[in-house]
């Protein structure tokens, strides 16, 4: 199956040059790809910092609660139960951060179209 450009080129002859919109806007597409890469890197760094913040908070919490953990172990709690408590707390921290981020996100603009 021949492309539209090839059919036009064969009908118009060598006096005309046929280019598609992607070829004409190659620099714009290159800039968009670079912008997409930069955006992904920035978002990745933000997520990495947030994850490290949660891990650091949990490590600090464990060191502060060392005595309470020992009491729970003496009362018969398993290490798995204590691990699940701290995992639940980390999940709650992450979800709270996500909720705050969603609440502070700017609203999306509406698309307005004219009717005739």
């Amino acid at each position: 199956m021949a492309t539209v450009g090839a059919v036009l080129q064969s009908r118009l002859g060598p006096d005309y040059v046929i280019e598609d919109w992607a070829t004409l806007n190659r620099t714009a597409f290159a800039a968009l790809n670079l912008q997409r890469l930069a955006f992904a890197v920035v978002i990745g760094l933000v997520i990495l910092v947030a994850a490290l913040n949660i891990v650091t908070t949990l490590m600090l919490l464990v060191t502060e609660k060392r005595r309470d953990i020992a009491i729970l172990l003496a009362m018969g709690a398993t290490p798995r139960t204590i691990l699940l408590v701290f995992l639940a707390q980390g999940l709650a921290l992450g979800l709270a951060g996500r909720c705050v981020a969603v609440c502070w996100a700017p609203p999306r603009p509406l698309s307005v179209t004219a009717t005739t």
Side-chain angles (χ1 to χ4, degrees), residues 16-99:
Y16 294 93
V17 176
I18 306 296
E19 292 181 328
D20 62 348
W21 60 274
T23 305
L24 290 174
N25 298 313
R26 185 177 305 149
T27 57
F29 285 119
L32 285 174
N33 284 334
L34 185 62
Q35 182 181 14
R36 187 181 320 156
L37 176 66
F39 187 69
V41 167
V42 168
I43 292 296
L45 287 174
V46 167
I47 290 172
L48 178 69
V49 167
L52 288 176
N53 190 11
I54 291 174
V55 168
T56 305
T57 302
L58 287 175
M59 288 176 64
L60 183 64
L61 185 69
V62 168
T63 57
E64 288 178 355
K65 300 288 184 182
R66 198 174 289 267
R67 180 181 293 170
D68 296 335
I69 293 170
I71 291 171
L72 287 173
L73 287 172
M75 290 175 58
T78 64
R80 186 175 195 278
T81 305
I82 294 171
L83 175 70
L84 288 176
V85 167
F86 284 104
L87 283 177
Q89 191 164 11
L91 182 65
L93 267 173
L95 288 176
R98 174 152 171 117
C99 289

